[in-house]
RNA sequence: GCACCCGUAGCUCAGUUGGAUAGAGCGUCGGACUACGAAUCCGAAGGUCGCAGGUUCAAGUCCUGCCGGGUGCACCA
């Protein structure tokens, strides 16, 4: 309801200024004043207007006088108590506190379906090793975006791109075949977490290459066997990569993350996606065949020069190597063209995993299958959650797509870049990883799958669950083992997801065990706990059979007497009411951290209220009802915010 | 060398398209459990917003230069 009020006020001001001054302002900025004394909404529009008028007519009008005139133009409505002009020309709007409280109890209207289908690609871990916390940041970020977009009314299709033909997979195969000399049957018999096994093997293979560079020949040979297909090596690679993929999906399932479809690079290759994209690029004149220079024999794409003075010597990006094979960026261009339905080829699909919640994840295949599948692709836009180190390459991909898909869908598509999770030297020591003297000097150390250097996602989740279980058992010894574990799991996921989402995307997370394992302070469990306590008030209320006195419009004057005297109650209520505003900001900026911070602050303010007011023992029925209404409004928004972050609220904590 | 990201309290980070007195968490010190759950709350100490200019009624926020850190600039992905 606040969002619609803001829209109405902004529209009114724009219209009024347009009529009065014949001036078209773009966005009307709306602020929330820093102090409750300044009101609830502030319009600094008079400053902006004064400036525009000076530009046009010369003398600068007094912003204060303009503000007075603008303020007087606002039509009176039930929701607004009064309007004041303050300072040099702020227009401050004071809301009717009781009306807002009553209005908050109405459920928000569901967003209108936009009819758009947004394709979100995230996770995309090479299927040759276990996921580490850096991969988890990607998955958790992507999943939160999916939830936010769905909340705002979009249809979302979730992709997890599987690079099953790259060198990383080849490296593990080299490890099995030549380092361990294992046959297919032995590999299949490896027990336990297969992705963890491959994690170690991958690191050993990398170390082997360093020791004996001649072993690199095995990698080349293995890679070409995999790309060729139809031989035992390719079959082994298929087995290994799919088994690792399943293990990775087990890991993210622990966090409640699912995908609609798993497009595989092998199908991009075998189903001629690239051939088709290549034709389009060639006929659009975007790629050129180099006949001399260092890229001789390659097909190269150059970014369209942005100005006439850009360097003519740009190297461009090789898309097709001189041996005719295709680089990753080229395959990505083909994939993205397919996402927008621009390639007139399609994958075949088969179900890959069916989950107990009824969800089915499909995977691409070369052979058509009988089973009917949903329509994939043909998106209205795509979002790719990919590390910011790939920004340069993603620019090439977007430019290529932009040149071949001449419609606004490309402009709404984006590379969602995020910084990596790095390890502090202390975290490395705790992991038992040996560092070189110069690494010890550094503030942060990058995780590296090649070196086997990193915190495995499963291990961190296990540690969190273990710690949460101890806390739950200490507080609720009466619970069964299954119940206690369920609660511990929800708390662990809350801690982990919040930890990964509280940082903005541009911040490199310096991973620290103590911080990641904390359940106190700015953490997921802190917010969960606030909800659990709020809910227990309502449980106690029912048990005590206290008679309720429903609030209605007839109480407006009374409620206002209370709320106008108590700014602390009002600021809590008002902050809860601003939920949709923060959701919108998080959605528009693809920045779940905005919502995470909001949820924490709301929980913090609620805890403050909780300590200052004893609700159940309040003797005045009207006051008690107001306290309960505030608690309900806060609780409901906390639950929804957590849900958008992928965090559940435990029954007890 | 060029491009992108970052530099805010001892540490880790927020700071909404430029707005009114720069905020949290952790850590430190001191307090609050015979009332709705202490995974909580209250209080204190802690800041030349990397440096220097510029634009503006208004700059942590925008522009330029410099310093410091990260990432990328492959016929890897």
């Amino acid at each position: 309801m606040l969002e619609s009020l803001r829209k109405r006020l902004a529209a009114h001001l724009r219209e009024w200024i347009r009529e009065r001054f014949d001036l078209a302002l773009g966005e009307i900025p709306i602020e929330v004043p820093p102090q409750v004394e300044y009101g609830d909404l502030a319009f600094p529009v008079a400053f902006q207007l004064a400036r525009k008028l000076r530009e046009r007519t010369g003398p600068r009008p007094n912003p204060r006088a303009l503000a007075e005139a603008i303020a007087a133009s606002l039509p009176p409505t039930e929701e607004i108590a009064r309007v004041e002009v303050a300072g040099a020309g702020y227009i401050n709007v004071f809301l009717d506190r009781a009306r807002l409280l009553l209005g908050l109890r109405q459920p928000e209207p569901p967003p209108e379906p936009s009819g758009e289908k947004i394709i979100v690609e995230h996770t995309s871990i090479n299927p040759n090793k276990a996921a580490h916390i850096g991969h988890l940041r990607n998955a958790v970020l992507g999943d939160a975006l999916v939830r936010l977009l769905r909340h705002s009314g979009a249809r979302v299709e979730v992709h997890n791109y599987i690079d099953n033909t790259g060198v990383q997979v080849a490296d593990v195969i080299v490890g099995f075949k030549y380092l361990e000399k294992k046959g297919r049957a032995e590999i299949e018999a490896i027990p336990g977490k297969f992705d963890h096994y491959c994690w170690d093997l991958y690191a050993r293979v990398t170390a082997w290459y360093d020791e004996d560079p001649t072993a690199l020949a095995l990698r080349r040979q293995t890679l070409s066997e995999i790309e060729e297909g139809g031989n035992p090596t390719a079959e082994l690679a298929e087995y290994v990569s799919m088994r690792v993929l399943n293990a990775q999906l087990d890991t993210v399932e622990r966090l409640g993350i699912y995908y609609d479809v798993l497009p595989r690079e092998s199908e991009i290759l075998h189903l001629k996606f690239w051939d088709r994209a290549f034709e389009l690029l060639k006929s659009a004149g975007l790629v050129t065949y180099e006949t001399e220079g260092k890229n001789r024999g390659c097909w190269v794409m150059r970014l369209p020069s942005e100005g006439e003075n850009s360097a003519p010597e740009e190297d461009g990006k090789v898309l097709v190597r001189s041996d005719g094979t295709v680089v990753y960026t080229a395959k990505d261009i083909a994939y993205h063209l397919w996402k927008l339905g621009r390639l007139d080829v399609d994958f075949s699909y088969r179900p890959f995993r069916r989950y107990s919640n009824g969800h089915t994840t499909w995977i691409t295949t070369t052979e058509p299958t009988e089973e009917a599948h949903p329509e994939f692709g043909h998106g209205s836009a795509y979002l790719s959650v990919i590390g910011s180190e790939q920004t340069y390459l993603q620019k090439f991909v977007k430019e290529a797509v932009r040149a071949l898909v001449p419609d606004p869908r490309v402009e709404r598509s984006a590379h969602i870049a995020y910084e990596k999770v790095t390890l502090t030297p202390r975290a490395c020591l705790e992991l038992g990883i040996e560092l070189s003297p110069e690494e010890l000097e550094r503030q942060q150390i990058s995780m590296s799958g090649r070196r086997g250097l990193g915190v495995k996602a499963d291990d961190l989740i296990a540690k969190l669950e273990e710690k949460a279980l101890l806390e739950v058992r200490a507080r609720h010894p009466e619970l069964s083992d299954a119940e206690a574990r369920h609660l511990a799991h929800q708390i662990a996921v809350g801690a982990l997801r919040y930890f990964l989402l509280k940082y903005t995307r541009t911040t490199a997370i310096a991973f620290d065990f103590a911080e990641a394992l904390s359940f106190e302070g700015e953490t997921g469990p802190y917010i969960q706990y606030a909800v659990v306590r709020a809910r227990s008030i309502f449980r106690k209320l029912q048990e005590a059979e206290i008679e309720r006195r429903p609030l209605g419009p007839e109480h407006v004057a009374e409620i206002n007497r209370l709320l106008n005297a108590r700014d602390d109650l009002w600021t809590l209520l008002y902050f809860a009411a601003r939920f949709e505003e923060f959701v919108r900001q998080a959605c528009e900026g693809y920045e779940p951290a905005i919502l995470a911070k909001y949820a924490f602050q709301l929980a913090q303010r609620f805890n403050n209220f909780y300590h200052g007011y004893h609700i159940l023992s309040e003797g005045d029925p009207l006051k008690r009802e107001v306290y309960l209404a505030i608690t309900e409004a806060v609780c409901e928004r906390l639950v929804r915010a957590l849900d958008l972050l992928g965090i559940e609220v435990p029954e007890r904590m």
Side-chain angles (χ1 to χ4, degrees):
Chain A
M1 64 174 290
L2 259 183
E3 284 288 279
S4 77
L5 176 64
R6 290 167 68 108
K7 270 186 207 151
R8 291 201 315 271
L9 289 175
H12 167 84
L13 291 181
R14 194 170 22 225
E15 186 60 18
W16 189 81
I17 289 168
R18 196 183 60 76
E19 278 180 17
R20 180 83 166 63
F21 297 103
D22 190 29
L23 227 152
L25 293 181
E27 284 283 293
I28 302 288
I30 307 176
E31 292 161 13
V32 174
Q35 300 291 320
V36 67
E37 293 79 27
Y38 296 140
D40 306 309
L41 294 171
F43 295 87
V45 68
F47 302 114
Q48 194 188 347
L49 183 59
R51 182 195 188 87
K52 292 266 186 192
L53 290 176
R54 185 186 58 178
E55 282 168 9
R56 195 170 63 180
T57 60
R60 181 171 187 268
N62 182 353
R64 173 101 200 181
L66 284 174
E68 300 280 2
I70 295 168
S73 83
L74 287 171
T77 90
E78 209 177 45
E79 297 147 295
I80 294 173
R82 65 181 198 280
V83 179
E84 282 179 5
V85 173
Y90 286 99
I91 299 161
N92 292 335
V93 174
F94 293 75
L95 301 178
D96 186 295
R97 298 181 172 184
R99 295 278 176 195
L100 187 95
L101 175 71
L102 295 174
L104 275 192
R105 299 180 314 166
Q106 314 295 329
E108 302 270 348
E112 309 131 34
S114 63
E116 286 196 316
K117 171 167 158 185
I118 299 177
I119 294 177
V120 177
E121 170 194 353
H122 68 80
T123 308
S124 306
I125 313 167
N126 279 321
N128 74 326
K129 59 175 180 301
H132 61 57
I133 47 175
H135 301 122
L136 237 39
R137 185 180 193 183
N138 183 310
V140 164
L141 192 53
D143 186 61
L145 288 176
V146 169
R147 290 165 188 264
L148 278 164
L149 291 167
R150 284 189 176 142
H151 172 85
S152 68
R155 257 193 319 144
V156 182
E157 182 171 298
V158 189
H159 289 202
N160 177 1
Y161 182 79
I162 309 301
D163 181 7
N164 58 336
T165 58
V167 286
Q168 285 82 359
V169 171
D171 285 338
V172 176
I173 302 305
V174 166
F176 279 126
K177 278 180 70 176
Y178 303 103
L179 207 54
E180 299 201 313
K181 303 192 194 322
K182 277 193 168 72
R184 171 72 180 256
E186 283 174 282
I187 295 168
E188 287 187 16
I190 291 169
K193 288 184 189 285
F194 191 66
D195 54 337
H196 289 219
Y197 188 94
C198 292
W199 171 281
D200 294 329
L201 182 57
Y202 183 43
R204 282 169 59 206
V205 172
T206 309
W208 185 34
Y209 293 152
D210 289 342
E211 271 171 43
D212 180 8
T214 59
L216 286 168
L218 297 172
R219 170 203 258 183
R220 275 192 296 277
Q221 185 196 328
T222 303
L223 186 57
S224 71
E225 283 174 25
I226 292 173
E227 283 194 6
E228 199 174 308
N231 57 66
T233 302
E235 282 163 22
L236 181 62
E238 169 77 8
Y239 170 77
V240 167
S241 61
M242 288 305 102
R243 188 167 165 193
V244 170
L245 172 60
N246 258 310
Q248 291 171 349
L249 294 182
D250 287 341
T251 301
V252 292
E253 188 186 355
R254 295 172 80 178
L255 303 182
I257 298 175
Y258 306 92
Y259 310 89
D260 295 315
V261 64
L262 312 171
R264 302 197 305 176
E265 189 165 276
S266 52
E267 272 73 53
I268 300 262
L269 283 173
H270 296 140
L271 294 174
K272 311 290 184 202
F273 275 45
W274 167 246
D275 298 18
R276 185 76 193 98
F278 197 21
E279 285 168 30
L280 293 171
L281 287 166
K282 277 195 281 200
S283 55
L286 290 164
V287 288
T288 48
Y289 184 75
E290 299 289 300
T291 52
E292 53 190 33
K294 65 171 188 174
N295 291 333
R296 190 171 159 203
C298 300
W299 286 87
V300 174
M301 178 186 157
R302 289 185 175 76
L303 285 180
S305 55
E306 291 177 10
E308 57 280 359
N309 55 353
S310 69
E313 299 298 316
E314 288 283 355
D315 282 343
K317 174 69 193 160
V318 170
L319 295 185
V320 182
R321 303 182 186 104
S322 51
D323 66 1
T325 58
V326 177
V327 303
Y328 158 80
T329 309
K331 292 173 230 175
D332 217 30
I333 290 170
Y335 173 36
H336 282 84
L337 289 171
W338 172 83
K339 280 181 183 175
L340 297 180
R342 185 68 178 81
L343 287 187
D344 39 12
V345 287
D346 197 3
F347 298 107
S348 295
Y349 306 89
R350 68 179 168 86
F352 188 66
R353 276 166 80 110
R354 296 186 200 275
Y355 294 91
S356 54
N357 65 7
H359 187 79
T360 299
T361 298
W362 295 73
I363 195 165
T364 58
T365 61
T366 46
E367 302 300 322
T369 45
E370 299 293 310
E371 201 162 344
H373 60 81
E375 187 199 66
F376 296 118
H378 301 280
S380 322
Y382 61 81
L383 300 174
S384 319
V385 183
I386 301 173
S388 54
E389 73 277 4
Q390 292 205 44
T391 302
Y392 175 76
L393 291 178
Q394 285 299 314
K395 243 173 79 176
F396 275 96
V397 174
K398 179 145 183 182
E399 282 305 325
V401 174
R402 196 204 305 275
L404 295 175
V405 184
D407 67 45
R409 294 181 302 167
V410 184
E411 302 318 314
R412 280 180 303 177
S413 301
H415 165 213
I416 309 300
Y418 65 95
E419 288 294 329
K420 52 177 67 170
V421 183
T422 61
L423 297 172
T424 59
R426 195 176 77 176
C428 290
L429 294 178
E430 286 171 34
L431 282 167
I433 293 166
E434 286 184 25
L435 296 176
S436 65
E438 32 185 63
E439 280 176 325
L440 281 170
E441 291 299 308
R442 304 178 68 169
Q443 292 165 346
Q444 43 193 2
I445 290 130
S446 288
M447 288 190 280
S448 161
R450 288 175 211 286
R451 288 177 62 191
L453 203 169
V455 179
K456 287 197 276 293
D458 284 326
D459 294 350
L460 181 63
I461 297 170
K463 272 193 184 188
L464 283 160
E465 286 180 339
E466 193 183 332
K467 191 181 167 202
L469 187 59
L470 282 175
E471 299 279 349
V472 170
R473 287 241 167 88
R475 285 155 218 256
H476 304 285
E478 78 285 359
L479 290 178
S480 74
D481 192 59
E483 283 172 313
R485 282 184 189 281
H486 179 62
L487 296 178
H489 174 74
Q490 290 176 311
I491 293 165
V493 172
L496 181 54
R497 291 185 85 133
Y498 190 86
F499 174 76
L500 292 170
L501 290 174
K502 73 173 174 178
Y503 301 93
T504 52
R505 289 188 282 113
T506 52
T507 298
I509 300 178
F511 182 84
D512 181 83
F513 276 105
E515 211 174 323
L517 291 171
S518 172
F519 298 154
E520 289 166 19
E522 197 195 340
T523 65
Y526 176 98
I527 308 169
Q528 291 172 315
Y529 184 62
V531 177
V532 168
R533 291 208 298 192
R535 283 181 172 168
S536 95
I537 293 173
F538 290 100
R539 200 176 53 236
K540 284 267 160 55
L541 187 70
Q542 276 194 326
E543 286 168 10
E545 292 175 2
I546 294 173
E547 198 183 328
R548 299 292 300 268
R549 181 182 149 187
L551 297 174
E554 66 276 20
H555 301 109
V556 163
E558 251 182 309
I559 297 170
N560 265 333
R561 261 197 297 283
L562 174 61
L563 291 180
N564 287 333
R566 308 306 286 264
D567 280 344
D568 56 341
L569 293 178
W570 167 244
T571 49
L572 171 63
L573 179 65
Y574 182 51
F575 196 63
R578 293 174 59 200
F579 173 79
E580 291 294 342
E581 178 190 334
F582 287 93
V583 169
R584 177 173 47 79
Q585 283 180 19
C587 220
E588 285 173 356
Y590 306 123
E591 188 59 276
I594 292 172
L595 188 62
K597 291 277 175 190
Y598 168 76
F600 171 67
Q601 284 177 36
L602 183 56
Q604 203 174 28
R605 291 172 193 222
F606 173 74
N607 278 331
N608 180 287
F609 160 73
Y610 180 90
H611 275 265
Y613 293 82
H614 200 267
I615 297 166
L616 293 181
S617 63
E618 174 55 55
D620 181 335
L622 181 111
K623 281 187 180 172
R624 193 176 62 228
E625 287 302 328
V626 169
Y627 298 163
L628 284 168
I630 292 173
T631 303
E632 204 160 22
V634 169
C635 192
E636 202 250 335
R637 276 145 191 92
L638 281 177
V639 170
R640 271 162 53 200
L642 287 174
D643 180 58
L644 289 172
L645 301 172
I647 298 173
E648 297 178 346
V649 177
E651 282 294 310
R652 274 174 282 190
M653 285 184 75

